[in-house]
Amino acid sequence: METVIDILLTPWLWISVVVIYTIQQGILFVPQNRGYVIYTFGRYSGTLQAGLNFIVPFVQKVAADRNLKEQSLDISSQSAITKDNISLEIDGILFMKVIDASAATNNITDYKLAVIQLATTTMRNAIGSMELDQCFQNRDKINANILAAMTDATQPWGVQVTRYEIKDITPPTSIKEDMEKQMTAEREKRSVILTAEGVKTAAVTKAEGLKQARVLDAEAAKAELVLAAEASKESQILEATGKAEAIRLVANADSTALSVIGAAAITSEGQQAVRLTLAQDAIAAHKAIAAEGSVILTDGKTSENIGNTVAQAIAISSALKLSE
């Protein structure tokens, strides 16, 4: 027991403890994406980066530990008035990162609170320069304006705003109802326009179809007329050719008959046959005249001529039979 007490009362033990503690306080391991702000006797002297670092114990100390990663800050719902005096409730989200740990510590008390307040003010200014419809239609423009304004304002704080997004824009209930009515009217208007366009397109298509049908009908009728004309032409040609051939054949037959009759007529028998034919024709003519009326006027020689003609015909007929 006395030995343990003697060891604890040994000055060298206490000196060793103090030395170890001092060395421990002088060695710092800085994590990745962190920045340690060092003060020497209460004055900024540097920023320690990631890795193994050394400081003078009891003379230097870590005044602030800054996160150098990109961070997101929620911007709670805020009231803003548009250019046309409409009150809106707007909330958003902001992305930022500390790029200078010393400036974020020495130049601003609470950089996160300062960034949120600046974002709120900038958002109200951006909304105040636009009308209600523009606020809904130009969200990207509002975000870009807020980002540009905050980039310049936060540079002295060692903070970089990388992105700002509006999450929701809530108009008053009355304005919301009016907007819904307007949207309904716009949808109905578009429906009517689309219906009219459909009817117009259908009418145009129908008219084009009728036009094409009429053109095709006209072409078909024209083709039929051409075919009918060609057929009529061919028929007339064939008919004329047939008539010409018939006339030629009749003429050839008459020519042949005349040739035969002429050849026979130059003989004595032919002469007798001719006289017989003439006598027969004369008798037939007198019979036809007698059949037409009951009174026949003659010159007194007609009966003699008829008798002679009959006698000649009988004689010629007898001669022809004898010659056969």
Side-chain angles (χ1 to χ4, degrees):
M1 188 65 178
E2 292 180 356
T3 304
V4 174
I5 294 174
D6 291 339
I7 293 173
L8 292 176
L9 295 176
T10 303
W12 292 108
L13 176 61
W14 292 103
I15 293 173
S16 299
V17 171
V18 171
V19 170
I20 292 173
Y21 178 75
T22 302
I23 294 174
Q24 183 182 4
Q25 293 295 316
I27 299 175
L28 295 176
F29 294 95
V30 180
Q32 185 67 34
N33 293 322
R34 308 291 291 193
Y36 285 3
V37 178
I38 304 301
Y39 281 8
T40 302
F41 294 115
R43 183 177 181 181
Y44 172 74
S45 59
T47 301
L48 301 182
Q49 304 298 325
L52 178 62
N53 294 272
F54 299 95
I55 62 173
V56 179
F58 309 111
V59 175
Q60 296 178 323
K61 69 174 183 177
V62 178
D65 178 9
R66 298 304 180 194
N67 185 358
L68 303 181
K69 295 180 182 179
E70 187 171 4
Q71 306 172 55
S72 62
L73 300 178
D74 187 36
I75 309 300
S76 60
S77 181
Q78 302 290 329
S79 177
I81 299 176
T82 63
K83 188 177 181 180
D84 49 354
N85 296 323
I86 304 298
S87 179
L88 301 177
E89 293 292 330
I90 303 176
D91 58 358
I93 185 170
L94 181 144
F95 297 89
M96 49 80 65
K97 65 186 298 185
V98 176
I99 57 176
D100 188 348
S102 62
T105 303
N106 300 322
N107 297 344
I108 190 74
T109 302
D110 188 344
Y111 69 91
K112 290 185 179 180
L113 178 61
V115 168
I116 291 174
Q117 291 178 345
L118 179 61
T120 302
T121 303
T122 307
M123 179 182 64
R124 287 176 178 172
N125 293 335
I127 295 298
S129 63
M130 295 183 178
E131 296 183 353
L132 179 62
D133 293 339
Q134 294 176 337
C135 293
F136 287 103
Q137 298 173 2
N138 300 321
R139 287 197 178 194
D140 292 339
K141 183 178 179 180
I142 296 174
N143 294 334
N145 292 340
I146 295 174
L147 180 62
M150 294 193 66
T151 299
D152 296 335
T154 59
Q155 186 175 2
W157 303 342
V159 176
Q160 179 183 6
V161 178
T162 58
R163 190 175 180 182
Y164 184 88
E165 292 291 339
I166 294 177
K167 292 194 298 183
D168 192 18
I169 300 177
T170 306
T173 304
S174 59
I175 299 299
K176 189 174 181 180
E177 292 177 354
D178 292 340
M179 292 175 63
E180 290 177 353
K181 292 179 181 178
Q182 182 178 0
M183 292 174 62
T184 302
E186 287 293 334
R187 284 194 293 268
E188 293 177 354
K189 177 182 177 181
R190 287 195 294 269
S191 177
V192 171
I193 292 174
L194 291 175
T195 302
E197 289 291 337
V199 172
K200 177 182 176 182
T201 302
V204 172
T205 304
K206 183 177 180 181
E208 289 292 335
L210 293 175
K211 178 181 177 182
Q212 293 295 331
R214 290 175 180 174
V215 171
L216 293 176
D217 291 341
E219 292 179 353
K222 180 179 178 181
E224 291 179 358
L225 291 175
V226 171
L227 292 176
E230 291 291 336
S232 177
K233 178 181 177 181
E234 293 292 334
S235 176
Q236 292 176 0
I237 292 174
L238 292 175
E239 183 179 358
T241 302
K243 290 181 178 180
E245 184 65 19
I247 292 172
R248 186 183 66 79
L249 291 175
V250 170
N252 289 335
D254 292 341
S255 176
T256 303
L258 291 174
S259 298
V260 173
I261 292 172
I266 61 176
T267 63
S268 59
E269 291 82 0
Q271 292 292 327
Q272 294 176 0
V274 169
R275 287 193 294 270
L276 176 61
T277 301
L278 293 175
Q280 290 175 346
D281 290 341
I283 294 171
H286 282 86
K287 286 182 178 181
I289 294 171
E292 291 294 331
S294 58
V295 178
I296 300 174
L297 298 177
T298 64
D299 56 359
K301 297 179 180 181
T302 304
S303 58
E304 295 178 0
N305 293 333
I306 294 174
N308 294 330
T309 302
V310 171
Q312 292 176 1
I314 292 171
I316 293 169
S317 177
S318 300
L320 290 174
K321 288 180 179 180
L322 292 174
S323 63
E324 291 177 355

